[in-house]
Amino acid sequence: MPLDITEKHIPGPVSEEPAGYFYKADAADALPLLQKDWKDKFQVIYLDPPFFTGQAFRFQQRIGEEGWRGDIRYMLPHRAYSDQWESRESFLHMLRQVLACSRELLKPEGSLFLHLDYRFSSYARILMDEIFGAENMLNEIIWAYKSGGRAKNHFSRKHDTILFYRKSDKHFFNIEAVGKPRGADKRNNMKRQIDEDGRTFWSIHTNGKEYRYYEDSKVYPSDVWDDISHLQQKDPERTGYDTQKPEALLERIIRSTSRPGDWVGDFFAGSGTTLAVAQKTGRKWAGMDNSDFSLIVSRKRLLQVSRQPSDAGCIFISDPAMKPMEYDPSGGTRLKMTRHSDDETELHLMDYPCRRLPGIPDFMDYIDYWSAGRMRNGIYVPEQYSFRTQKSPKLASMLTIPDGSGETGKPVSDGGIAVHIIDVYGKQSFIKF
């Protein structure tokens, strides 16, 4: 049976081809089902699976405006994912299945990056050699970072390993895309000079030869990446995921191994970093994760990316498997709908039932995202939405949508107005009028 798409992401009119797909599914179970539609389609796949730590990792959900402003009293911990396994063999079995399926999804010129740490990188190298071929191993990238904590019985572990393999010797790689200007920093034992064309360079003489290093020339990364920092707790990129990776890391991977318009895959999507960077750099993407919170956080990140001035706006189209309930105020959710003569409909959120925490009585604090739109051929298409972020912690209590027409201006097929609500507990509600 085919794997259902949880959501499609469309940056523009609904008639356009989606820029991304999100599957809420377990990678080991779901990837075999993608083979028919996605075989040989991805230019680059980045995998950041569990690290075999034996731990459960958290997602820290902020509650209301106070939580998004950083008040720890307004934060609710959830389990993001479990990294607990029956045995080493069960973890290896999962990883082997995901890697074998991922290889089939790559284009002949495609590449795969597998991100692990000291616990399993050696085992993974053997698996990758077996599945991709040892001759297709390109780099063992060391991502070295500085973070808190100091070991007493061994040297502190301050790096991850990223294994970089190609599918074939036709692979695409563009080092120019990730080079950075050398800059004006002083260099030991070098003289700063200006040549006849007015370009600034630093020079050194060795064995009778002059070596010049121009400030506007590029410096390229090696296989040790110590210039990308680990995310700090108060970093603006933070979404609440324990193991979130920085966008700069994914930007280097995606820019060097793909071109605008290429497909990028991430089957342990987590906080959605890969998907957000792919969207920002003009790539298409497919994400997968088995966590409700991964879908929720990724959706908000992508909506923020698509609110850049260069974009025409975006929507998520939700899978018909999430059937909307007919509006019934006796269920506790109360909405007021007002139609206006100027072809607009206002939807005002009046109440929402959920478990209230001590000291946080306002129902609006428990809503993190909501949207209003219409059902089209059994699929929910939002037309307006409001959600909380650090930059915009306040949630709108009223949304206004055009009356009787959708994004394209054409009549809506089945026309039912609907509302999608996500609360701080991860509960999603679809309500149809």
Side-chain angles (χ1 to χ4, degrees):
M1 59 177 291
L3 180 65
D4 287 334
I5 299 166
T6 302
E7 293 198 339
K8 294 189 292 185
H9 171 86
I10 302 177
V14 178
S15 58
E16 290 184 359
E17 181 186 12
Y21 295 89
F22 194 104
Y23 297 87
K24 183 183 175 295
D26 179 84
D29 296 334
L31 284 177
L33 303 177
L34 294 184
Q35 299 301 313
K36 179 181 178 182
D37 295 330
W38 291 89
K39 184 177 172 61
D40 298 332
K41 190 166 185 176
F42 289 96
Q43 176 58 38
V44 58
I45 294 172
Y46 169 79
L47 300 176
D48 181 17
F51 283 10
F52 197 71
T53 63
Q55 302 176 33
F57 290 92
R58 299 177 305 166
F59 166 62
Q60 200 81 340
Q61 174 65 61
R62 302 167 188 247
I63 302 174
E65 293 182 57
E66 299 301 324
W68 281 98
R69 291 192 177 110
D71 190 331
I72 60 173
R73 296 173 299 176
Y74 289 76
M75 293 189 186
L76 189 65
H78 297 291
R79 175 177 285 201
Y81 67 92
S82 173
D83 192 8
Q84 297 165 329
W85 302 84
E86 291 182 5
S87 64
R88 190 178 299 274
E89 288 69 29
S90 65
F91 184 82
L92 268 172
H93 177 75
M94 179 278 294
L95 198 57
R96 182 191 301 276
Q97 192 169 353
V98 170
L99 288 170
C101 289
S102 295
R103 183 188 181 280
E104 294 303 307
L105 299 178
L106 284 172
K107 297 168 65 174
E109 58 185 36
S111 303
L112 185 141
F113 292 80
L114 177 63
H115 189 148
L116 290 165
D117 69 3
Y118 67 92
R119 296 175 182 90
F120 234 83
S121 58
S122 58
Y123 293 90
R125 173 78 179 270
I126 295 170
L127 270 182
M128 295 284 280
D129 282 352
E130 174 190 324
I131 294 168
F132 282 79
E135 71 280 6
N136 289 317
M137 192 270 190
L138 296 174
N139 285 114
E140 179 184 49
I141 297 166
I142 302 300
W143 176 37
Y145 45 79
K146 296 178 181 179
S147 60
R150 179 169 60 88
K152 295 181 179 179
N153 298 318
H154 54 79
F155 296 110
S156 297
R157 294 163 180 148
K158 301 292 184 183
H159 81 272
D160 289 355
T161 301
I162 304 174
L163 299 175
F164 172 24
Y165 279 69
R166 64 188 182 185
K167 185 172 183 178
S168 74
D169 59 6
K170 300 176 182 178
H171 79 288
F172 171 81
F173 184 70
N174 180 16
I175 192 67
E176 289 291 329
V178 292
K180 294 183 177 180
R182 190 175 296 275
D185 293 342
K186 180 175 174 58
R187 288 158 180 81
N188 292 338
N189 302 317
M190 291 190 184
K191 292 177 60 179
R192 186 174 184 270
Q193 300 177 71
I194 298 176
D195 70 8
E196 58 276 9
D197 296 322
R199 294 177 65 200
T200 303
F201 67 92
W202 297 78
S203 67
I204 188 171
H205 288 79
T206 303
N207 297 327
K209 293 184 179 180
E210 181 189 40
Y211 296 88
R212 292 186 177 187
Y213 300 89
Y214 283 87
E215 288 186 356
D216 59 357
S217 64
K218 286 186 176 181
V219 178
Y220 302 100
S222 69
D223 60 359
V224 177
W225 296 357
D226 57 4
D227 58 332
I228 297 175
S229 64
H230 201 277
L231 288 180
Q232 304 302 315
Q233 287 302 317
K234 294 187 177 181
D235 194 290
E237 283 185 30
R238 276 284 182 192
T239 64
Y241 260 73
D242 277 347
T243 55
Q244 181 180 341
K245 303 303 184 293
E247 291 191 7
L249 188 74
L250 273 300
E251 185 171 353
R252 181 169 293 174
I253 287 170
I254 289 171
R255 286 191 183 279
S256 62
T257 55
S258 68
R259 294 145 296 204
D262 284 338
W263 283 95
V264 176
D266 185 345
F267 309 132
F268 300 93
S271 63
T273 301
T274 303
L275 316 185
V277 173
Q279 181 85 18
K280 286 181 178 180
T281 57
R283 278 71 170 169
K284 298 181 180 181
W285 50 266
M288 181 181 294
D289 202 286
N290 202 27
S291 166
D292 285 325
F293 293 109
S294 176
L295 171 59
I296 292 166
V297 172
S298 296
R299 182 197 291 114
K300 288 171 62 174
R301 287 186 80 170
L302 289 155
L303 286 172
Q304 290 178 80
V305 171
S306 296
R307 284 178 169 181
Q308 300 298 321
S310 59
D311 291 309
C314 77
I315 59 172
F316 271 86
I317 298 179
S318 295
D319 182 72
M322 302 187 76
K323 298 291 185 183
M325 303 288 291
E326 293 294 333
Y327 177 57
D328 179 6
S330 65
T333 301
R334 291 199 301 117
L335 290 149
K336 180 181 178 181
M337 183 170 70
T338 306
R339 296 183 184 274
H340 293 282
S341 58
D342 55 356
D343 293 332
E344 287 186 339
T345 298
E346 285 182 354
L347 289 140
H348 193 173
L349 194 55
M350 306 294 289
D351 199 5
Y352 178 79
C354 66
R355 178 169 60 92
R356 310 287 170 95
L357 300 175
I360 312 178
D362 189 349
F363 80 91
M364 282 296 292
D365 285 338
Y366 296 90
I367 297 174
D368 194 55
Y369 165 102
W370 78 296
S371 63
R374 286 185 172 79
M375 302 302 298
R376 303 184 190 181
N377 300 318
I379 298 173
Y380 173 68
V381 181
E383 296 179 32
Q384 291 292 325
Y385 37 75
S386 178
F387 54 88
R388 301 185 196 273
T389 66
Q390 275 187 300
K391 290 183 178 180
S392 181
K394 186 174 178 61
L395 194 75
S397 62
M398 184 178 69
L399 296 176
T400 302
I401 59 174
D403 194 19
S405 64
E407 191 84 18
T408 60
K410 297 178 181 179
V412 180
S413 54
D414 48 346
I417 291 177
V419 167
H420 180 199
I421 301 172
I422 301 173
D423 66 24
V424 297
Y425 300 106
K427 178 186 175 184
Q428 302 196 56
S429 302
F430 281 90
I431 302 169
K432 179 183 176 182
F433 285 85

